Amino acid sequence: MPVLNERAYLQRAVETVLAQRFDGPRELILALGPSTDGTTELARTLADGDDRIRLVDNPAADIPIGLNLAIRASSFPTIVRVDAHSELDPEYTRTALATLARERAANVGGVMRADGRTPFQRAVARAYNSRIGLGGGAYHGATHAGEAESAYLGVFRRAVLDEVGLFDETIRRGEDWELNLRIRAAGYRVWFDPSLAVTYWPRESWPQLARQFVATGQWRGELVRRFGRRNSVRFFAPPALVLSLALSLVVWLLRATGVLRGGWAVAASVVFLPVIAYVALIIAVALGRGGGSGWRDRLWTLAVLPTMHLAWGSGFIRGTLRGARDTVDTSRLARNTPLP
């Protein structure tokens, strides 16, 4: 479990890991980034109270580096990746081990069941759980088991991780997708099992959400630069939306200033159609079952969905054009500053 500024969530996450119902030994290794909110002190208290918890330092704070440090410090043949913002169902590990054996897979993942504690966080959770919000990856709500492109978190065979080379430490976001790409390229199966469920707590504020999605989009752009068409076509929808909005703004300005007139102005108006369709779709989602139960929920949904799409899409365009370089997700930090 990589950990950075997670004091509000860490204890419950640790409790759900240690409460897993399966026969066999276990250990929980926390890779501690340079937290400033008391997370490290809480982790040490938890470790002092349970000898199954071990701590490793992750001064770089990058998730793949922390994961690799924890994996190298581990001692068992199965690796269960967990997140400090998540809670595992009590049967999660036992079910995953059975699926690994039954399907002869190298990695098994399940459904990310997003949830929220505040109106804003619940709106983000609804967006996560919706095909409109995050584009329909299997772990966002598919109901049929089968081979998958990637897996949420993941329960891995340690021997396969050692063979393919663990997480790529040059990739700060999307590291799980890239690792699963190598696993599949090596001839192994990545398996989605909808009976596996993980509760995930999204970002708690609008700035955090936007910063998270800009960084994630930028790293997806980097992955497109590296791996090209092996990226799913669904990743290109948000940047297409951003470009449509930009083109619509240009046409509107040209029409408003009289540069475009007559038939040319009418013909150019076709660029407004994708934007109009998108606005209609978001309004329909907000007013429907996916928008929540009251006017406040629906307004938050109207705000959250475009934030996710436009932040991710703009980050993607930038990452595709110039690469991700030193981009980090600062949404876990108190302010938008680089990590050490």
Side-chain angles (χ1 to χ4, degrees), residues 210-223:
R211 283 151 52 186
Q212 176 195 13
F213 272 73
V214 167
T216 303
Q218 194 158 343
W219 274 103
R220 177 53 60 181
E222 172 68 30
L223 293 175

Side-chain angles (χ1 to χ4, degrees), residues 6-72:
E6 298 286 7
R7 183 173 179 82
Y9 296 91
L10 179 61
Q11 182 161 349
R12 180 57 185 160
V14 167
E15 289 172 351
T16 66
V17 170
L18 299 180
Q20 292 295 290
R21 298 172 187 158
F22 75 98
D23 297 326
R26 77 201 64 181
E27 61 188 353
L28 171 59
I29 303 176
L30 306 182
L32 300 179
S35 297
T36 58
D37 67 346
T39 293
T40 299
E41 291 75 14
L42 173 59
R44 289 171 179 159
T45 299
L46 294 172
D48 288 342
D50 194 314
D51 59 11
R52 294 172 295 179
I53 302 174
R54 298 169 56 195
L55 309 179
V56 295
D57 287 329
N58 177 25
D62 288 340
I63 290 175
I65 293 176
L67 288 168
N68 287 346
L69 287 168
I71 291 168
R72 293 187 181 106

Side-chain angles (χ1 to χ4, degrees), residues 277-288:
Y278 174 78
V279 172
L281 175 63
I282 297 302
I283 292 174
V285 171
L287 294 179

Side-chain angles (χ1 to χ4, degrees), residues 5 30 50 60 71 96 109 134 149 157 234 243 260 317 329:
N5 288 335
L30 306 182
D50 194 314
I71 291 168
L134 289 184
E149 174 187 22
R157 295 184 188 274
R234 64 188 173 89
L243 293 176
L260 276 178
I317 293 171
D329 175 9

Side-chain angles (χ1 to χ4, degrees), residues 6 28 42 108 160 162 197-198 203 224 238 261 276 292 311 315 336:
E6 298 286 7
L28 171 59
L42 173 59
V108 171
V160 174
D162 289 338
V198 180
R203 301 301 191 267
V224 166
R261 299 178 181 178
I276 293 171
N336 193 11

Side-chain angles (χ1 to χ4, degrees), residues 23 25 32 92 96 102 107-108 162 184 189 193 206-207 240 251 312:
D23 297 326
L32 300 179
Y92 180 85
R102 183 180 68 252
N107 182 22
V108 171
D162 289 338
R184 291 186 289 111
R189 304 172 86 183
D193 184 348
W206 210 338
V251 170
W312 202 98

